[in-house]
Amino acid sequence: HRAFGAATWAAMTLTIAAGFMSYYNLYGFFAGQGDNPCVKGNAIGGDDGCDAMRTVHGAAAGVTTLLYATTFTLSLMMPDPDNLSEGKGEFASTLRLHKTLRWVHFGGMIAQALIGIVMANNLLGLDRANDYKTLQALATVHLATGLVTYGALTWAGALMVF
């Protein structure tokens, strides 16, 4: 579980980094439709960066999701024959918090996947020319959800490592 958790965290770090770059390229940081880096020609990665960052982000998200599913499944299957999480000590308290955070980052992963799939496959029929602000808002929610999910996963991991 620990090894898969570390791998998941590393993959999620790459996914977040690529997501930030993709968000910046497509929307700037609250830039208007005519003022974002892709339109102005100063996207990270040059002209190819507008599509390439989305591709890198999508691929990293896929790897992260597979690793996360494995890690989460292992967490549910891990026995606690001595009921360590029900004790009164510091370790029991830490383990309870770790298990609680599991549900926070699980919810975030579900939300991230749904928003990402909807946006990547244009399931709402939105286009950048006519629905820029709506897409920007969805991307902002996706980014914020990713940061909260990443924070919960990082906290859960740090509890067990440090």
Side-chain angles (χ1 to χ4, degrees), residues 21 24-26 36-51 53:
M21 289 186 268
Y24 172 77
N25 284 351
L26 295 171
N36 64 65
C38 284
V39 171
K40 289 192 152 200
N42 58 356
I44 297 170
D47 290 339
D48 294 332
C50 296
D51 289 328
M53 281 304 157

Side-chain angles (χ1 to χ4, degrees):
H1 174 72
R2 184 178 284 193
F4 274 104
T8 301
W9 183 84
M12 191 180 286
T13 300
L14 293 174
T15 304
I16 291 279
F20 257 107
M21 289 186 268
S22 182
Y23 182 88
Y24 172 77
N25 284 351
L26 295 171
Y27 303 105
F29 287 102
F30 306 105
Q33 187 169 4
D35 296 326
N36 64 65
C38 284
V39 171
K40 289 192 152 200
N42 58 356
I44 297 170
D47 290 339
D48 294 332
C50 296
D51 289 328
M53 281 304 157
R54 286 176 30 179
T55 302
V56 170
H57 177 64
V63 170
T64 300
T65 301
L66 290 173
L67 287 167
Y68 183 84
T70 302
T71 307
F72 185 80
T73 300
L74 287 171
S75 79
L76 292 176
M77 295 172 56
M78 290 181 73
D80 188 6
D82 296 328
N83 297 318
L84 293 174
S85 64
E86 296 174 18
K88 292 185 180 189
E90 183 179 338
F91 181 77
S93 176
T94 299
L95 189 55
R96 279 192 300 275
L97 180 55
H98 180 77
K99 287 181 172 187
T100 299
L101 287 168
R102 160 179 62 192
W103 296 107
V104 175
H105 53 69
F106 177 73
M109 287 296 290
I110 297 296
Q112 281 298 92
L114 291 175
I115 296 169
I117 289 168
V118 165
M119 289 184 69
N121 296 294
N122 196 22
L123 297 179
L124 298 177
L126 303 174
D127 66 77
R128 287 178 56 79
N130 297 310
D131 304 302
Y132 179 83
K133 290 209 179 277
T134 302
L135 287 168
Q136 186 178 41
L138 280 170
T140 302
V141 169
H142 184 65
L143 180 64
T145 303
L147 291 173
V148 169
T149 303
Y150 184 69
L153 187 73
T154 301
W155 187 7
L159 283 171
M160 301 316 289
V161 173
F162 300 110

